[in-house]
Amino acid sequence: MAHILIVEARFYDHLNDMLIAGARAAIEGAGHSCEVLTVPGALEVPGAIAMAAETGRYDAFVALGVVIRGETYHFEIVSNESARGVMALTLDGIAIGNGILTTENEAQAIARADPAQLDKGGGAAKAALAMLDLKDRLG
């Protein structure tokens, strides 16, 4: 049984709650355990995963959060840099499923976060488990 850390950027409570519900259902449905670590925003997710990975307590990670386009360039910075940080960690061999949503509006975010719709939290958890399985197979 693997132990998975869900790292969530808690900004939109109602959206994050849906992402976490989907991720938990996928992880527990596959027979694994999980816990949740909350960070202030999407830019902090990669750093938190890197710190947690150093502890050796977790087998894989799920990155969750929601970034909704606003009126400034900040959206691009947060979206691109959080994705770049997560990708850099995967290249270091850390099994991560990236479920940080980057959407134009709240309606798109709801459709993607809701486990009854697109279930991107569950999808990210399944991706983390698939990467963990690949890492184990490659030894």
Side-chain angles (χ1 to χ4, degrees):
M1 176 169 81
H3 189 58
I4 314 301
L5 181 63
I6 299 168
V7 179
E8 63 135 351
R10 173 83 30 187
F11 196 80
Y12 299 100
D13 291 345
H14 65 296
L15 299 171
N16 276 48
D17 289 344
M18 288 190 279
L19 287 169
I20 291 169
R24 277 188 189 278
I27 292 165
E28 292 169 0
H32 304 292
S33 64
C34 64
E35 61 185 272
V36 176
L37 176 68
T38 301
V39 297
L43 290 174
E44 290 75 37
V45 170
I49 291 173
M51 287 184 258
E54 289 179 4
T55 70
R57 296 191 317 236
Y58 307 100
D59 300 296
F61 301 87
V62 179
L64 297 179
V66 179
V67 184
I68 299 175
R69 185 179 298 279
E71 297 177 4
T72 68
Y73 184 67
H74 187 68
F75 171 84
E76 282 82 5
I77 292 170
V78 174
S79 299
N80 293 337
E81 293 304 311
S82 63
R84 185 196 58 76
V86 170
M87 180 58 70
L89 293 170
T90 64
L91 294 175
D92 287 339
I94 299 173
I96 304 173
N98 189 351
I100 299 175
L101 305 180
T102 53
T103 66
E104 295 293 324
N105 54 55
E106 186 176 2
Q108 289 178 351
I110 290 170
R112 286 157 179 77
D114 186 352
Q117 295 184 56
L118 296 175
D119 191 20
K120 294 298 184 176
K126 290 174 184 175
L129 294 172
M131 292 304 291
L132 179 60
D133 180 60
L134 177 63
K135 185 177 180 178
D136 289 346
R137 284 189 287 133
L138 294 174

